Structures are given as structure tokens and as C-alpha cells.
Amino acid sequence: MTTVLSELSLMLTDPLMQRALLAALLVGVSAPVVGTYLVQRKLSLLGDGIGHVALTGVALGWLVGAAMGVVPDDALAVPGAVVAAVLGAVAIEVVRERGRTSGDLALALLFYGGIAGGVLLIGLGGGSSGSLMQYLFGSISTVTPADLVLTVVLSAVVLLVGLGLRAALFSVSHDEEFARASGLPVRTLNVAVAVVAAITVTVSMRVVGLLLVSALMIVPVAVAQLVTRSFRRTMLVASVVGVVVCVLGLSFTYWNNVSPGAAIVVLAIATYLLVAVLRPLWVRRRPRVARDPHPDIPDDVELDLVPSGANRTTGGDSCSA
């Protein structure tokens, strides 16, 4: 017991792990918030497409940094990823809205073009495809104080938009036509979702990597949907699950030489499978309670429900539930 406590104390006092854990905490909170809207809009793979475009931004930032003589060469990688991801997300939203090509085709173009552009540009910048590995799968050793500051700022933007505009964004995500008929700025809100998704991808790439960031946005939401019914509770539970898997997965990599992104995603999927297995037992034992769908509206008709198969005679009429 003493050994375990000493190891935990050593981990928590390590400046590198302090930065990494704080970044993981911010990513765990913010990524599922955006993922909840993407799941509602049936755009679960959007994060993957944006992640591939962000890879081109990483390489472009590397190329510009090398041309300017910036030290280290990848100092502009994260800002380049932010710019490229935002532009790519807006582009795919414009294509989706105008309907000139299907959503899956647009995502495929982002997938292949993003990876090809990233590998090509990193070569022109004097690097190699191996230089992109830390961005593809995450690396806690690359979280610098400057990266942490940028992560805090971008996470604050994601949470401000995702939570501050929750009602409007939910309306657009749930029924776009109804939201447009209600007078909401649907196009602006759709672009806002795309932009915060792009920001979330770039925020998360240091922790889980660009190839796995979509899983962190989607899997906690899938877990939450197994145990909740409302949109607000789904978002809350998903954020809690995101924080837990990020912190535990990152802590696991402190004692084991494995990819933090892979550890976090595997833990998230294992959580989903565990909840999915246990859910039937929980649902079976939960008592069924009749609910009034509109409790604020007075009822002008009262129904006396009886068990199935039983008959009750009132006033000469026979009725069955």
C-alpha cells in the first residue's frame, strides 16, 4: 500500500504528468460535449475526417516553421492544425448543406486528401512520416506549457459554445427543418458545430492522437445513451465518462510504455461493453412507472388503467387495458 501511494505521489508531482493530466481532464470534458451533437446529427465520423485534415495542418505548420527557422520545427504544428481543421470542417458543412455530394463521399475526400497532404508536406519540410506519429496516436511527452495554455483556451471556447448554445444547437441537431421554421439561424449554428468539432480535434490530438480522437468524442456518448434518456443527462454522463477514461488511461501509460491514445480508447470501449452487458439487469429490475407526457396541462379525461387481461365494468360499459 505504501508503495502504491508513493508511486501515485511521484506521478502527481511530475511536471510532465501534471500538464498531461490537466490536458486529459480538459479533453475528457470537452470532447463528449461536441460528440453529443455529432451523434444526434448522425455525423459520428466527422471527427475522423477533420482529424485527417488537421494532419495536413500539422505538416503545413511544420513546413512554415522550418522555412522561418523556428525552433523547434514543430512549434507551429498545433496552430496549423487548428486553421486547417476549421477550414476543412466549414468546407464539409458547406458541401453537405448544398447537397452537391453525399456526406460519406465528402468525408472520404477528407480522409484520403488529409493523410496524403500531411505526408507530402512533412517531407517537403525536412521531416519524415515518422514525425507525424506523435500527432496520429498522441504522446504525453509532447505536451509543453505552451500547448497546455492553448488547450485551456480552446477547451474554454468549446465548452462556452457547446453549453452556452445548447438549446439552439440541440434544436438544429434534432430537427433542422423545424429549427429553420422557428427562425433559428440554422446555417450559422451548423457552422458553429463544425468549428467546435474542429477545435476539439486539435485540442485532443496531443492526448489521444488524430486517428483516435473521434472515438473519444463518440464512445462516451454511446455509453451515456445506455443509461440516460434526456439530452442534457446524456451530455453530462458522457463528460464524466470521458474524464474518467482519459485520466485512468493516461495514468496507465505512466507505468507502461504504451500509446496513451490507444489506452484511453480501449478503456472507453471496454466501459461501453461492460455497461451494455449490465444494462439488461438494471432495466429489468427498474420499476415501471406511468408517466404523464404533459404534466403541466390539466387532464380533461381520466383513465383508470387495469392490468392486462383483466376486465372492469363501469356504468354498464366493459373496458380492458
Side-chain angles (χ1 to χ4, degrees), residues 213-276:
V213 63
S214 185
L216 185 58
M217 298 168 67
I218 302 304
V219 177
V221 179
V223 175
Q225 287 182 332
L226 293 176
V227 297
T228 61
R229 294 184 178 181
S230 69
F231 184 82
R232 181 174 59 182
R233 290 183 179 179
T234 297
M235 184 177 291
L236 176 60
V237 173
S239 294
V240 172
V241 172
V243 169
V244 171
V245 297
C246 279
V247 172
L248 291 181
L250 192 58
S251 300
F252 178 77
T253 63
Y254 180 77
W255 291 287
N256 300 272
N257 187 22
V258 296
S259 168
I264 290 171
V265 172
V266 168
L267 184 57
I269 294 176
T271 302
Y272 174 82
L273 294 176
L274 179 62
V275 174

Side-chain angles (χ1 to χ4, degrees), residues 59-282:
L60 184 60
W62 195 302
L63 179 63
V64 173
M68 296 176 58
V70 177
V71 179
D73 291 341
D74 63 344
L76 300 179
V78 175
V82 174
V83 174
V86 169
L87 292 178
V90 173
I92 193 173
E93 178 57 35
V94 171
V95 170
R96 186 195 67 83
E97 182 184 20
R98 295 186 178 181
R100 294 184 178 180
T101 185
S102 61
D104 59 340
L105 179 58
L107 285 175
L109 294 175
L110 287 179
F111 273 47
Y112 308 135
I115 287 185
V119 174
L120 178 63
L121 290 177
I122 198 67
L124 294 176
S128 63
S129 57
S131 304
L132 298 176
M133 294 299 292
Q134 60 184 349
Y135 299 99
L136 289 173
F137 299 102
S139 175
I140 59 175
S141 61
T142 62
V143 180
T144 64
D147 291 333
L148 184 58
V149 172
L150 185 60
T151 300
V152 171
V153 173
L154 295 180
S155 297
V157 172
V158 171
L159 293 176
L160 182 63
V161 175
L163 299 179
L165 299 178
R166 183 174 59 192
L169 293 178
F170 169 75
S171 179
V172 172
S173 301
H174 182 67
D175 191 336
E176 191 170 304
E177 294 301 325
F178 177 79
R180 184 175 287 108
S182 301
L184 291 175
V186 173
R187 176 177 298 176
T188 302
L189 293 173
N190 282 334
V191 171
V193 172
V195 169
V196 294
I199 294 175
T200 303
V201 168
T202 55
V203 166
S204 307
M205 71 178 181
R206 290 293 200 186
V207 178
V208 295
L210 293 173
L211 291 183
L212 299 175
V213 63
S214 185
L216 185 58
M217 298 168 67
I218 302 304
V219 177
V221 179
V223 175
Q225 287 182 332
L226 293 176
V227 297
T228 61
R229 294 184 178 181
S230 69
F231 184 82
R232 181 174 59 182
R233 290 183 179 179
T234 297
M235 184 177 291
L236 176 60
V237 173
S239 294
V240 172
V241 172
V243 169
V244 171
V245 297
C246 279
V247 172
L248 291 181
L250 192 58
S251 300
F252 178 77
T253 63
Y254 180 77
W255 291 287
N256 300 272
N257 187 22
V258 296
S259 168
I264 290 171
V265 172
V266 168
L267 184 57
I269 294 176
T271 302
Y272 174 82
L273 294 176
L274 179 62
V275 174
V277 170
L278 296 179
R279 182 178 181 271
L281 300 177
W282 175 73

